[in-house]
Amino acid sequence: MSNEQNPYGEQRHGGALPPEATAPAPSRAAPSEEVTGRQRLRAGLWPPRVSRAQLIVALLLFVLGLGLAIQVRSNSDNSALRGARQEDLVRILDELDNRTERLEDEKQRLDDQRTELENSSDQAEEARKQTLEKERQLGILAGTVAAHGPGITLTISDPTGAVEADMLLDTIQELRAAGAEAIEINGVRVVANTYFSGDGGELRVDGRRIEAPYEFKVIGKPQDLEPALNIPGGVVQTLEKEQATAEVTRADDIVVDALRPAKQPDYARSSSR
């Protein structure tokens, strides 16, 4: 085999191709497997890419949903009035109407007093009369003067000693809400700062021990006081659940003569001139 030299001085072996020419051509890469729509959706959803704004919105929606759930649950709870009879609901409505009427009467009375003061020829004398009347009213509320008038007597029997101090307090609250103006329990005058203490069978009113039966003398409108104690879930039903009995008696004249000593304040002074 002869050796030939090309014009550029390179020696070429006769007829034989260089090793590079005989090397096989590189094979093309196999095409990648086609991605389906489901795979693209899965790749877009996981792992989640959540921004700060999206987290805040999600938190607000959670709080809103929780609030709505609590509201719905509270509205669906059974109340004491849900299972009440129609006549009981009518009596409760009448009691609310009576309370509204009492407030309207009190407003009218105060308006009349103001008008009398403005139109009276002797305003000083009229003011003195109203002051004395106000003093009498405050004396009744403070328990420093005796009082009498229509009302009821409530007698609570407690053979098992199950009546607690909070039950007597609830009774006082119901009577006051129904318009009671003067209350006495077993010879103890009930005033604004009256408190109850002790356990069942050994109860105390303002530190003074009282024993069953507990007798309430209450001055007020009997037509308002008695229904207030007998409303569904009220005082009478609560006492009956504790094996106690409550008897209400109306009277045209109830005497409340247990008195409280008038106390002179140590520090407070009248600011009127």
Side-chain angles (χ1 to χ4, degrees):
M1 184 178 294
S2 61
N3 294 332
E4 296 181 356
Q5 188 173 4
N6 60 18
Y8 301 99
E10 296 177 349
Q11 186 175 7
R12 184 171 57 181
H13 300 279
L17 295 177
E20 293 81 358
T22 61
S27 61
R28 296 179 60 186
S32 59
E33 184 178 349
E34 183 179 357
V35 179
T36 65
R38 180 178 299 178
Q39 291 174 335
R40 287 198 299 269
L41 178 61
R42 186 183 300 113
L45 294 178
W46 189 264
R49 301 174 181 85
V50 182
S51 64
R52 182 178 180 182
Q54 291 173 330
L55 285 176
I56 295 176
V57 172
L59 180 60
L60 292 176
L61 291 176
F62 172 77
V63 173
L64 178 60
L66 180 62
L68 290 176
I70 295 175
Q71 181 69 24
V72 171
R73 181 177 180 181
S74 62
N75 290 337
S76 62
D77 287 342
N78 292 329
S79 62
L81 300 179
R82 187 175 297 276
R85 298 175 299 176
Q86 182 176 0
E87 53 267 27
D88 294 332
L89 295 175
V90 172
R91 186 168 63 241
I92 294 173
L93 183 60
D94 290 339
E95 181 185 352
L96 293 176
D97 292 338
N98 291 332
R99 292 183 184 180
T100 303
E101 183 179 354
R102 288 196 303 271
L103 292 176
E104 291 291 342
D105 292 342
E106 178 67 14
K107 178 180 179 297
Q108 184 62 42
R109 186 180 64 82
L110 294 176
D111 290 339
D112 293 341
Q113 289 181 359
R114 184 186 63 183
T115 302
E116 291 176 0
L117 283 174
E118 292 174 350
N119 299 333
S120 176
S121 58
D122 189 353
Q123 295 187 359
E125 179 63 21
E126 184 64 29
R128 188 185 68 83
K129 291 181 180 180
Q130 293 192 14
T131 300
L132 292 176
E133 177 65 19
K134 195 67 175 179
E135 180 182 4
R136 185 188 67 83
Q137 295 175 359
L138 293 177
I140 294 176
L141 295 177
T144 57
V145 298
H148 72 94
I152 64 170
T153 299
L154 170 64
T155 304
I156 299 176
S157 301
D158 184 24
T160 62
V163 176
E164 299 290 344
D166 60 335
M167 299 178 185
L168 298 184
L169 178 60
D170 291 340
T171 304
I172 294 296
Q173 298 292 2
E174 287 289 348
L175 291 171
R176 284 174 172 168
E181 298 176 353
I183 305 175
E184 175 183 325
I185 303 177
N186 288 30
V188 181
R189 188 69 169 267
V190 176
V191 293
N193 60 349
T194 292
Y195 65 92
F196 296 86
S197 59
D199 299 325
E202 297 183 357
L203 301 180
R204 296 180 180 273
V205 182
D206 293 336
R208 178 176 172 180
R209 182 174 178 179
I210 59 174
E211 296 181 354
Y214 308 113
E215 185 181 54
F216 291 68
K217 294 181 179 180
V218 187
I219 296 177
K221 188 176 180 180
Q223 295 83 350
D224 296 338
L225 297 175
E226 183 177 4
L229 299 175
N230 288 289
I231 61 174
V235 172
V236 174
Q237 287 190 3
T238 301
L239 292 172
E240 290 176 350
K241 290 180 181 179
E242 299 297 333
Q243 306 303 317
T245 59
E247 180 181 355
V248 181
T249 304
R250 299 188 184 187
D252 294 331
D253 189 61
I254 296 289
V255 177
V256 175
D257 53 5
L259 302 181
R260 290 293 187 104
K263 293 183 179 181
Q264 181 68 27
D266 296 329
Y267 304 101
R269 297 293 182 267
S270 176
S271 59
S272 60
R273 296 181 179 178

